[in-house]
Amino acid sequence: MSRQITDTLMMIRPVSFYMNEQTAVNNYYQKKIEGLSNEQVQDKALAEFDGFVAKLRTAGVNVEVFDDTPAPSTPDSIFPNNWVSFHESGKVWLYPMYAINRRLERREDLLESLSEKFEIESVDGFLDWEMDNKFLEGTGSLILDRQNKIAYAAISERTNPDVLAEFMEKTGYSSVSFIANQTVNGQRLPIYHTNVMMCLGESFAVLCADSIDDQEERQRVIDSLEKHHKEVVYITEEQKSRFAGNMLQVQNATGDKFVVMSEAAFTALTEEQKEQLSKHGQLLHSNLDTIEALGGGSARCMMAEVFLPKK
């Protein structure tokens, strides 16, 4: 059976972080911060990134950090989990991206660097779908139950059923798909990425069930999680808006487990929820306020899990 969690992460250190207007059209989590210059935004994001990496490394997690490049401009490069996923088979999958400037984040040089330490058997993907304006943004779109080969996917502009079908065909995964919504100016609109309302660990799941408006779809997700023996930690829509669904379970080289999230997510949780999650690993949290506000993503989005075999 495949491993669900890893001790190795790939993260991209920002050189020019700012609010990406191309993603803001359907990422309702992005918010402008008034009164900060571009240089101040970058400095704050860099400090948050470095602080986060330091906490992960102090916990014994292996973090492979690569610097972003000044050109071309890729303001969201800090979120690499959307363009690539790494698997125990040695396969690397590349994903079609909604925002044109995010497609520039895909870098062969990063894969070449990783191949010095890890076995890469093949690099394949779903990039042709970009010509049809159909997208599937990696483990933002897909919550992977690697042990049971199930992909949970909230359908949206960035998570297309046709691309999902090809993912299933190529990987042998089955899928549990649904619509997850949030209220925007009084309207219920699709959440841009599944990983802001759901997280999956070895023996637990975090789920904002209230965002799945269709009761049958909601129950299908819950039934699948319970069938595969996941303790479900339910979060509210308010907690979801503070990135409490955007978590990742990781481990270190000696097998100690951690549930990783932002400071905002940790603060949003109740004591009971913290107790539930603490059964599955030490809670590790870091301040990502600037990255969350301008990027509309949080801790989980910043970590691309590396499951490739080590050389």
Side-chain angles (χ1 to χ4, degrees):
M1 182 183 285
S2 295
R3 289 179 290 132
Q4 180 62 27
I5 61 175
T6 182
D7 62 4
T8 301
L9 305 169
M10 182 184 81
M11 296 178 66
I12 309 297
R13 194 167 187 259
V15 296
S16 180
F17 178 79
Y18 59 90
M19 183 168 174
N20 187 352
E21 300 293 345
Q22 291 188 24
T23 56
V25 294
N26 56 23
N27 178 348
Y28 309 112
Y29 291 82
Q30 288 176 255
K31 299 177 182 69
K32 286 186 167 67
I33 301 178
E34 301 298 337
L36 289 183
S37 68
N38 289 344
E39 291 77 13
Q40 288 171 313
V41 165
Q42 164 62 17
D43 288 347
K44 281 178 170 288
L46 189 60
E48 290 173 6
F49 178 90
D50 287 344
F52 186 24
V53 170
K55 286 189 176 183
L56 289 164
R57 285 177 168 165
T58 299
V61 179
N62 177 33
V63 187
E64 300 286 337
V65 174
F66 297 97
D67 285 318
D68 189 17
T69 52
S73 179
T74 50
D76 284 331
S77 61
I78 202 168
F79 304 132
N81 79 309
N82 298 140
W83 66 264
V84 66
S85 65
F86 304 101
H87 300 263
E88 277 187 83
S89 61
K91 289 190 184 302
V92 176
W93 296 104
L94 304 178
Y95 295 90
M97 308 279 279
Y98 171 82
I100 292 170
N101 63 5
R102 291 214 63 190
R103 300 171 195 176
L104 303 170
E105 296 171 27
R106 298 189 290 252
R107 288 170 52 189
E108 284 185 26
D109 64 305
L110 301 189
L111 304 184
E112 287 168 9
S113 292
L114 286 173
S115 71
E116 295 170 10
K117 296 182 182 180
F118 302 93
E119 301 283 354
I120 294 180
E121 179 198 297
S122 65
V123 180
D124 196 358
F126 313 94
L127 304 187
D128 287 348
W129 288 102
E130 283 176 351
M131 293 184 289
D132 297 325
N133 288 317
K134 294 181 178 180
F135 314 105
L136 189 73
E137 296 195 335
T139 53
S141 293
L142 302 166
I143 306 298
L144 297 180
D145 180 341
R146 294 172 185 258
Q147 295 165 305
N148 299 295
K149 299 203 82 172
I150 301 168
Y152 294 88
I155 301 302
S156 71
E157 281 187 281
R158 305 201 198 178
T159 305
N160 182 276
D162 296 336
V163 196
L164 176 61
E166 188 183 354
F167 173 86
M168 291 159 55
E169 182 185 333
K170 281 185 169 180
T171 62
Y173 273 69
S174 62
S175 76
V176 177
S177 61
F178 52 93
I179 304 287
N181 291 316
Q182 66 187 72
T183 302
V184 181
N185 298 325
Q187 280 184 289
R188 294 292 278 174
L189 298 175
I191 292 171
Y192 79 110
H193 276 160
T194 317
N195 74 2
V196 295
M197 52 76 63
M198 185 176 182
C199 150
L200 197 65
E202 280 185 325
S203 53
F204 76 98
V206 174
L207 179 68
C208 181
D210 292 345
S211 67
I212 308 174
D213 295 337
D214 184 287
Q215 295 294 326
E216 287 185 15
E217 287 188 346
R218 181 187 299 185
Q219 196 58 49
R220 192 167 71 243
V221 173
I222 294 168
D223 288 347
S224 179
L225 294 170
E226 291 181 344
K227 176 186 174 184
H228 295 99
H229 312 293
K230 307 295 183 188
E231 178 185 4
V232 182
V233 180
Y234 292 98
I235 59 171
T236 65
E237 293 201 68
E238 170 59 26
Q239 290 174 316
K240 170 186 62 65
S241 73
R242 293 163 68 186
F243 294 102
N246 199 242
M247 302 181 188
L248 185 67
Q249 186 186 32
V250 300
Q251 64 184 30
N252 61 20
T254 56
D256 300 316
K257 294 172 186 173
F258 303 87
V259 182
V260 183
M261 68 196 78
S262 71
E263 191 70 39
F266 178 79
T267 305
L269 296 172
T270 66
E271 291 306 313
E272 183 182 357
Q273 289 166 329
K274 289 174 185 175
E275 280 182 32
Q276 276 184 287
L277 289 166
S278 293
K279 290 186 288 184
H280 306 283
Q282 181 183 330
L283 305 189
L284 190 157
H285 46 95
S286 196
N287 183 337
L288 303 173
D289 288 353
T290 309
I291 294 167
E292 288 177 331
L294 293 172
S298 188
R300 195 278 169 266
C301 306
M302 296 168 66
M303 299 178 283
E305 303 152 278
V306 180
F307 285 89
L308 300 169
K310 293 183 173 80
K311 283 190 170 177

